[in-house]
Amino acid sequence: MVNSNQDKLDELKARIVTEKVTPELAATATQLVFGDGNPSAKIVLIGEAPGKNEDLQGKPFVGAAGKFLNEMLAMIGLKREDVYITNIVKYRPPNNRDPYPDEKETFLPFLQEQLSIIQPLLIVTLGRHSLNCFMPGLQISQIHGQPKRKDGQIYLPLFHPAAALYNKAMRQTLIDDFANIPLIMQKLEPSLTT
Ligand code: URA
């Protein structure tokens, strides 16, 4: 029997726990925050690491930044269930500190495996940590909203919703960049009617 994408994602999630990935982070976190949404999504959005609400609920982007993200998805006619949302680092760093480079490196192969199961048309990176995981050295302030191709995969670098939440100019820029997603998707898959 061929395993479904959801089965494969569940197996990968279980492996992160059994292989004791980043035990220091796992020790201070409530639980693993693996990812949420459609296991065959055409769009995957990738943040940085879970915060307090995500750690408690076990789902990415469920706090204030998540509410804003949901609003932007609704603006382009999408629900959370239509896309897949995850983070680079899958345990909450203590006191919401930035994830350390070695923590991001440790989780990267698992993220790559997650993406190779889902096989999205578009990967939306949220914030500089997520962007630099895939394209080191690029400046988010200079390339936000511009689709980039790397190794046959298309990426759309966007500002992080948490950073844009209380910064009026950045918030509007993020909303404007987000509004271009349907057009980008149409170009990637002309038959798409989102
Ligand atoms: N910020 C992130 O980068 N990820 C989350 O899941 C929540 C907030």
Side-chain angles (χ1 to χ4, degrees):
M1 200 186 82
V2 180
N3 282 341
S4 69
N5 280 7
Q6 190 59 62
D7 290 341
K8 291 179 196 166
L9 289 172
D10 289 346
E11 187 272 335
L12 180 63
K13 178 179 176 180
R15 198 139 45 80
I16 294 176
V17 177
T18 53
E19 288 183 13
K20 300 200 186 328
V21 175
T22 63
E24 298 84 7
L25 282 186
T28 55
T30 306
Q31 58 189 316
L32 180 74
V33 180
F34 181 70
D36 185 35
N38 180 348
S40 308
K42 292 187 163 62
I43 304 174
V44 172
L45 300 108
I46 305 174
E48 178 183 323
K52 188 173 181 206
N53 292 293
E54 290 75 23
D55 177 66
L56 291 173
Q57 293 186 42
K59 284 187 180 179
F61 284 98
V62 290
K67 188 166 169 279
F68 181 31
L69 187 59
N70 292 348
E71 286 166 11
M72 289 188 289
L73 285 169
M75 184 183 77
I76 58 168
L78 293 175
K79 295 195 275 298
R80 278 177 76 104
E81 306 86 83
D82 297 321
V83 298
Y84 190 88
I85 305 176
T86 188
N87 286 300
I88 314 163
V89 169
K90 288 169 169 46
Y91 291 111
R92 180 194 183 201
N95 304 314
N96 290 354
R97 65 157 168 76
D98 279 357
Y100 296 141
D102 67 305
E103 292 166 347
K104 291 186 277 186
E105 270 165 39
T106 303
F107 272 108
L108 189 56
F110 293 96
L111 176 61
Q112 299 283 18
E113 208 174 320
Q114 209 172 7
L115 293 169
S116 70
I117 293 168
I118 302 168
Q119 298 204 343
L121 285 179
L122 182 68
I123 294 176
V124 178
T125 59
L126 300 169
R128 69 187 163 91
H129 289 278
S130 179
L131 167 66
N132 291 147
C133 228
F134 298 99
M135 283 170 269
L138 293 188
Q139 294 285 332
I140 180 111
S141 54
Q142 284 169 15
I143 58 147
H144 66 86
Q146 301 170 21
K148 300 276 170 208
R149 183 188 293 270
K150 188 180 176 194
D151 301 331
Q153 175 69 57
I154 310 290
Y155 298 87
L156 179 67
L158 297 186
F159 285 129
H160 195 292
L165 210 49
Y166 304 110
N167 176 327
K168 218 172 166 197
M170 198 189 280
R171 184 186 170 95
Q172 193 56 50
T173 303
L174 176 55
I175 291 171
D176 293 345
D177 287 347
F178 217 92
N180 280 329
I181 291 178
L183 196 63
I184 294 166
M185 292 304 290
Q186 245 172 45
K187 285 185 182 154
L188 292 176
E189 191 184 67
S191 62
L192 214 70
T193 53
T194 50

